[in-house]
Amino acid sequence: MLSLYKTSIECGSKYHSTRVYTDKSSKDFFEALVDEVVVLPDDFEYYFLDDIKFYVMVNETEPFILIDGDLFLYQALEPIDTHIGVELFSKHYKG
């Protein structure tokens, strides 16, 4: 799973700054890959990975884009209206 995140970060960092929210045990893995690592509080409890997404959405400052580690960017994302949450279709080809 971490290899997917690594590839996603490598692709995305060509076009955007990168920040990862993670726990202490994974911090070292991400430090060399991203612009910023945010370590989740010790008392943060999550049962599903999506729980971390909710934490990020509450604690991030706009503008930001939250993407999963299995999404690979082959071009920069266009700015969107930050007052709404949307999922956009993006062509799935390299090029």
Side-chain angles (χ1 to χ4, degrees), residues 28-74:
D28 292 340
F29 175 83
F30 289 112
E31 280 188 317
L33 297 173
V34 298
D35 298 311
E36 183 181 355
V37 175
V38 177
V39 177
L40 296 166
D42 289 333
D43 62 349
F44 180 75
E45 294 184 25
Y46 61 93
Y47 302 98
F48 304 102
L49 287 177
D50 281 355
D51 294 340
I52 298 172
K53 291 179 187 179
F54 287 107
Y55 179 87
V56 171
M57 288 188 278
V58 168
N59 290 284
E60 263 302 324
T61 305
E62 290 185 17
F64 72 94
I65 296 173
L66 178 66
I67 64 171
D68 290 336
D70 59 353
L71 178 73
F72 308 108
L73 299 179
Y74 295 108

Side-chain angles (χ1 to χ4, degrees), residues 64-94:
F64 72 94
I65 296 173
L66 178 66
I67 64 171
D68 290 336
D70 59 353
L71 178 73
F72 308 108
L73 299 179
Y74 295 108
Q75 63 189 33
L77 296 172
E78 295 180 17
I80 61 170
D81 184 347
T82 60
H83 295 94
I84 58 172
V86 297
E87 291 191 19
L88 300 174
F89 173 77
S90 180
K91 295 179 184 175
H92 294 97
Y93 64 88
K94 193 173 183 177

